[in-house]
Amino acid sequence: MSPPIRSLCALGFILMFARWCDGSCAEVDSMTEAVAGQDFLLGCISCKRREEVSGASTVDWHFKPAGGDEFFHIFHYDYPTSTILHEDFKSRLEWGGTKGTADLQIGAIYIRNVTFNDTGTYTCTFERSLFLALGTEHVTIKKTVELTVLAEANRELTAVISEIMMYVIIVVLQLWLIGVLIYCYKKIYAENEAREARKALHAKNKLIDSKETCDGVHLE
């Protein structure tokens, strides 16, 4: 197979499996509009700058209602235990962050059955300990989310267009990938057929040469 064909096939297989590859941590902002009566994920991500450094974190959430003057401590997570600390959120908050380790980078929580009273300002605070060679370093990271609760979902036109374009691009890439794999298969099949034909022709030529050699021998 020629180098360009190999490269094209390799690219196709890379695109096929790239979707299952894990990417690095990315600090994506939380959504800020929830719908009353539905569940909502309050996002909070704090990435470590050096993945090779081990650490441990706790996460605290505070809430200030719209028009309120002070924050209330509503949730605390210290692996593996989560604690709801405010009566208004009893049985409605659930840990949605990093699982299976105290080295937290995602501190998200779910709000179940959102109400209009959940509108307000939320703060997410990471208390992180980094275990360095020279000692332990303590870091505090705070994120803020301004949440608005709506009666029904409000999808902006740009968001709808972006979602449609995303699906169109995915479909086009998948069709292109299928086309690349079919092309590669046909190319490989054709090259194998040509190789077998050359082998058969070579064997036939050897048989003819051998026969001519035998015919040229005269017994005395």
Side-chain angles (χ1 to χ4, degrees):
M1 190 185 299
S2 63
I5 298 300
R6 291 195 190 97
S7 300
L8 192 60
C9 293
L11 178 60
F13 285 109
I14 289 172
L15 288 175
M16 181 191 297
F17 294 110
R19 59 184 298 182
W20 288 283
C21 296
D22 289 331
S24 59
C25 177
E27 296 191 8
V28 180
D29 292 336
S30 173
M31 301 293 287
T32 58
E33 291 184 348
V35 178
Q38 298 185 10
D39 297 339
F40 182 77
L41 178 66
L42 272 172
C44 180
I45 302 175
S46 173
C47 301
K48 289 195 310 182
R49 300 310 174 196
R50 296 177 60 185
E51 289 293 332
E52 70 274 12
V53 177
S54 60
S57 302
T58 61
V59 174
D60 289 277
W61 280 91
H62 292 76
F63 170 61
K64 182 176 72 173
D69 297 324
E70 60 179 315
F71 281 91
F72 302 100
H73 196 181
I74 62 173
F75 188 86
H76 175 75
Y77 183 81
D78 187 356
Y79 175 79
T81 303
S82 59
T83 308
I84 301 174
L85 300 170
H86 196 277
E87 191 66 30
D88 291 347
F89 291 92
K90 283 296 182 183
S91 303
R92 293 202 303 123
L93 298 183
E94 182 181 326
W95 179 247
T98 305
K99 300 182 185 299
T101 176
D103 194 2
L104 309 175
Q105 297 192 74
I106 301 176
I109 58 172
Y110 286 99
I111 304 178
R112 303 299 185 185
N113 190 25
V114 173
T115 70
F116 289 105
N117 291 332
D118 296 332
T119 297
T121 303
Y122 294 81
T123 61
C124 164
T125 305
F126 278 83
E127 295 290 346
R128 174 172 290 148
S129 298
L130 298 174
F131 307 130
L132 306 175
L134 299 179
T136 301
E137 178 181 346
H138 299 282
V139 182
T140 300
I141 302 98
K142 183 175 290 188
K143 307 274 186 175
T144 301
V145 180
E146 297 287 346
L147 181 64
T148 301
V149 179
L150 306 174
E152 58 183 17
N154 179 24
R155 300 186 66 190
E156 297 181 359
L157 180 60
T158 54
V160 175
I161 294 175
S162 298
E163 185 173 341
I164 293 174
M165 289 303 298
M166 179 186 68
Y167 286 115
V168 169
I169 291 173
I170 291 174
V171 171
V172 170
L173 286 176
Q174 289 180 339
L175 292 175
W176 177 82
L177 177 57
I178 292 172
V180 168
L181 296 178
I182 293 175
Y183 175 78
C184 290
Y185 174 79
K186 288 183 176 181
K187 187 70 176 179
I188 294 171
Y189 180 80
E191 290 186 356
N192 287 337
E193 288 290 311
R195 188 182 302 111
E196 292 299 323
R198 288 194 298 269
K199 287 182 179 179
L201 180 60
H202 181 68
K204 180 179 179 181
N205 290 336
K206 287 183 63 177
L207 181 62
I208 292 174
D209 292 342
S210 175
K211 185 175 183 303
E212 290 178 349
T213 301
C214 291
D215 290 343
V217 175
H218 298 287
L219 297 177
E220 296 180 357

